[in-house]
Amino acid sequence: MPPDREVVEVDALFVGAGPASLAGAIHLARLIRKHNETAEKKIDEPFIAVIEKGKEPGAHSLSGAVLDPAALSELIPDYKEKGCPVEAEVAGEDLYLLTAGGKIRVPFTPPPMRNHGCCVVSVGDLVKWLAGVAEEEGVEIFPTFPGSEILEEDGRVVGVRTADKGIDKEGNEKANYQPGADFLAPVTVLGEGTRGNLAKQLFESHADRFAGKNPQVYGLGIKELWKVPDGRLAPGRVIHTMGFPLKPDTYGGGWLYGMRNGYVSAGLVVGLDYHDPFLDPHACFQEWKTHPVIRGILEGGSLEGYGAKTMPLGGYYSIPRLSSDGVLLAGDTASLLNPMRLKGIHTAIRSGMLAAEAVLRSMITGDSSAGALSSYDEAVRKGPIGDELHRSRNFHQGFDNGLWMGLIHSAAQIATGGRGFRDNMGARPGHERMETIRSFYGGSQPGRPDRSFDGEYTFDKLTDLFKSGTEHLEDQVAHLKILDRDICSNRCAEEYGNPCERFCPANVYIWEKDADGGKGRVRIDFANCVHCKTCDIIDPYQVIRWTPPEGGGGPDYEKM
Ligand code: SF4
């Protein structure tokens, strides 16, 4: 018998309490109030809901981050006076090309990449603050409610089912079993961040409707928060690096951002379209910290936080259709991150606001069909978001043949307003670009590299993980599914050497050898998962599925 589910009928549903959804919910609440001041037909006591998988807003939010405040200042013009947690305005920036032991300072930062007028923030703190503003506006936020299933009727999205609670690891109901609730809404806004599991369901079940011109490609950002001795990096000081330790065929780069009270945000982005099956992004990040430029700032300080998150790098040409019957896509879910600026918070906020305007129109007219909501697509593509992303439309693809060609393409794209030498340059999904051991190493599996970490300045994954606050109830069904374990033991072991052990930044996948010399199997320590989605993205056979764990599980990021 199907479980007796609670049904929550709301007027607008936002999924994921990140910048896109919270900005959308705040804007919608205010638009409705303004509408009611003059309209004959008022919208009475609207129920605007935001569901969030983390234990509180911000617990799963991670970014560098340097925020372009343009959209925030439209949403909340007096955001500074209202106590928005800005760490510092950007006060100078450097871009270095790192070699093994040296550095070349790029004499000027290209104009589209400059951060003048931007500010250093912790996106987690920003999200917490936005959640407070939303609640003051009457928005109801439901933390620990992960969306697990898109609800459709006749091809039209009618809401979201949240994950069940109280299921043990064998799949049996426990004493505290609670079936997930059905949140029903005329319009659902998916602002669930990068590689959202609900958006993925939509993209798979309606591939014809939602395909972008190019497939999405992703990067993985690995971050540590440090507290360093006085005078190492002034608040607002921004440093970006290219090169070491990434080889020219691997996309990525590092960052150091100065925050208040001696905190430094330090991180490395690695494109999840790398070729080497033995690359370990976390190990690369630790190696990056050993460079004198980075060591000179961090060494002697203390590790305060750790986390990892993927980001969509496909940009303009990977933007899917953004609306359909009863649904809108916003923020990273909609591929609205600018890969050239490596910024997506401002486009997330703006897209949330545009989504709110579309939702208001549908509330007034009672029409939430694809046709009515398509005005949102147009507003995104023809407004400031589309303008900005169009100018960086070939950026990431320009690095397909490595760093040096990428820099040449970037210069050409900047000079031609984004067109470059070829427009559109096309893209392949990252998991197709990972090469087999035979192809990359000429057949012989490389020896295990010496990855020793000193535990004071460089850390193994488990030590880092401890600083992420990650927790999951152990007695639940693993939220990471391997669809075909034979592939792991046979084809993947031989062809790629089980790269999940390396690409996961949280030590979730452990290869266990059989005592009798058999092939062995992969153990999944799902409780370590920081919800970055890397495995779902780059597994070369696409047999790993990330699904939402019981609500509240996952990282507990502070100041990230
Ligand atoms: Fe990220 Fe997957 Fe590892 Fe979880 S299991 S931390 S989603 S790579």
Side-chain angles (χ1 to χ4, degrees):
M1 210 173 95
D4 196 11
R5 293 180 190 281
E6 187 181 355
V7 174
V8 186
E9 290 193 35
V10 304
D11 295 299
L13 176 63
F14 291 85
V15 180
S21 288
L22 292 170
I26 293 167
H27 195 49
L28 180 60
R30 291 176 175 176
L31 287 173
I32 291 173
R33 230 180 13 250
K34 202 162 162 211
H35 165 84
N36 284 348
E37 283 169 13
T38 52
E40 240 171 63
K41 199 170 159 221
K42 304 206 187 304
I43 301 168
D44 286 334
E45 297 185 27
F47 186 173
I48 304 171
V50 180
I51 57 169
E52 161 59 33
K53 67 184 167 73
K55 71 177 201 179
E56 61 178 0
H60 290 186
S61 301
L62 179 144
S63 183
V66 175
L67 169 74
D68 175 342
L72 179 63
S73 57
E74 282 175 33
L75 178 69
I76 305 171
D78 52 352
Y79 65 95
K80 285 186 193 154
E81 294 73 19
K82 288 227 160 88
C84 178
V86 169
E87 290 290 326
E89 295 197 358
V90 170
E93 58 188 306
D94 291 303
L95 174 61
Y96 293 114
L97 174 61
L98 302 183
T99 59
K103 66 173 195 281
I104 300 164
R105 186 172 173 276
V106 178
F108 69 96
T109 307
M113 297 178 182
R114 281 185 202 149
N115 289 296
H116 180 73
C118 296
C119 39
V120 175
V121 296
S122 144
V123 75
D125 286 354
L126 177 68
V127 160
K128 280 189 185 105
W129 180 77
L130 283 172
V133 175
E135 284 174 333
E136 281 168 22
E137 296 289 347
V139 173
E140 290 204 39
I141 300 177
F142 295 81
T144 77
F145 279 79
S148 67
E149 199 183 319
I150 287 277
L151 297 173
E152 290 189 50
E153 274 173 18
D154 301 326
R156 167 195 176 74
V157 174
V158 295
V160 166
R161 175 164 296 167
T162 61
D164 294 346
K165 293 179 179 170
I167 304 270
D168 72 13
K169 57 182 174 217
E170 311 297 343
N172 303 313
E173 293 173 14
K174 295 191 279 190
N176 65 341
Y177 171 67
Q178 201 186 328
D182 286 351
F183 282 78
L184 304 180
V187 184
T188 299
V189 182
L190 297 181
E192 50 179 352
T194 183
R195 192 74 162 193
N197 56 294
L198 297 176
K200 194 177 168 194
Q201 282 175 28
L202 269 189
F203 296 161
E204 286 176 350
S205 60
H206 299 290
D208 50 326
R209 261 191 242 173
F210 288 100
K213 276 199 173 72
N214 290 347
Q216 187 56 269
V217 283
Y218 297 86
L220 168 64
I222 301 183
K223 173 175 174 177
E224 287 177 353
L225 181 71
W226 280 73
K227 196 156 177 23
V228 299
D230 283 350
R232 291 284 182 84
L233 195 68
R237 188 84 201 162
V238 166
I239 295 175
H240 288 121
T241 72
M242 303 178 285
F244 178 87
L246 302 178
K247 303 236 164 51
D249 68 354
T250 303
Y251 181 85
W255 79 80
L256 287 165
Y257 302 151
M259 301 168 76
R260 285 174 300 166
N261 304 319
Y263 284 98
V264 173
S265 163
L268 184 75
V269 172
V270 176
L272 290 179
D273 48 4
Y274 57 78
H275 302 278
D276 179 358
F278 274 73
L279 188 139
D280 181 330
H282 176 271
C284 292
F285 173 53
Q286 298 306 318
E287 199 179 348
W288 174 77
K289 290 193 301 174
T290 65
H291 193 279
V293 167
I294 316 302
R295 199 182 264 276
I297 291 169
L298 298 183
E299 196 165 41
S302 56
L303 176 69
E304 301 291 322
Y306 171 75
K309 181 177 168 281
T310 50
M311 66 200 78
L313 295 176
Y316 187 82
Y317 284 129
S318 295
I319 298 175
R321 191 167 125 188
L322 299 174
S323 63
S324 188
D325 291 298
V327 69
L328 300 171
L329 309 178
D332 280 2
T333 304
S335 184
L336 300 183
L337 181 141
N338 181 335
M340 187 183 270
R341 302 178 75 198
L342 210 62
K343 286 189 191 3
I345 301 172
H346 66 300
T347 48
I349 290 174
R350 197 182 289 285
S351 65
M353 293 169 70
L354 294 172
E357 290 163 21
V359 173
L360 176 74
R361 283 193 291 275
S362 81
M363 282 177 165
I364 294 169
T365 60
D367 184 357
S368 55
S369 64
L373 295 177
S374 66
S375 60
Y376 168 69
D377 280 66
E378 200 166 318
V380 171
R381 289 174 203 271
K382 299 209 169 143
I385 298 175
D387 280 357
E388 180 181 331
L389 296 188
H390 194 251
R391 277 179 267 123
S392 62
R393 61 194 181 276
N394 289 302
F395 181 75
H396 179 72
Q397 299 89 302
F399 288 81
D400 269 5
N401 293 315
L403 176 63
W404 309 120
M405 283 307 296
L407 294 177
I408 292 168
H409 278 295
S410 303
Q413 289 162 12
I414 289 169
T416 57
R419 180 172 54 77
F421 300 122
R422 189 154 57 86
D423 186 16
N424 155 17
M425 292 188 74
R428 273 170 69 202
H431 69 270
E432 289 181 5
R433 291 170 58 96
M434 188 186 286
E435 293 180 35
T436 60
I437 298 167
R438 178 181 295 276
S439 159
F440 195 82
Y441 288 100
S444 55
Q445 186 156 326
R448 298 235 156 210
D450 175 20
R451 285 188 178 135
S452 50
F453 305 106
D454 64 19
E456 288 191 3
Y457 181 67
T458 56
F459 306 103
D460 60 22
K461 289 179 185 176
L462 285 179
T463 308
D464 252 337
L465 186 67
F466 184 69
K467 292 287 183 182
S468 70
T470 300
E471 270 184 355
H472 291 85
L473 212 59
E474 296 272 357
D475 190 16
Q476 64 175 301
V477 178
H479 66 281
L480 297 146
K481 321 278 185 207
I482 298 187
L483 306 182
D484 185 345
R485 280 180 174 259
D486 279 351
I487 284 186
C488 307
S489 308
N490 295 305
R491 285 186 62 194
C492 189
E494 283 167 31
E495 292 177 346
Y496 293 93
N498 300 114
C500 56
E501 278 197 303
R502 296 173 290 279
F503 58 59
C504 170
N507 222 48
V508 168
Y509 301 100
I510 315 284
W511 193 252
E512 292 185 319
K513 289 225 159 77
D514 287 341
D516 63 1
K519 286 185 170 160
R521 66 190 52 73
V522 66
R523 187 180 87 218
I524 303 177
D525 287 353
F526 72 87
N528 292 350
C529 177
V530 295
H531 300 195
C532 72
K533 319 275 182 75
T534 299
C535 52
D536 194 284
I537 291 165
I538 201 176
D539 157 41
Y541 300 98
Q542 294 290 281
V543 292
I544 302 179
R545 286 277 181 283
W546 186 95
T547 64
E550 188 163 316
D556 186 11
Y557 294 143
E558 284 282 343
K559 247 185 136 39
M560 298 290 273

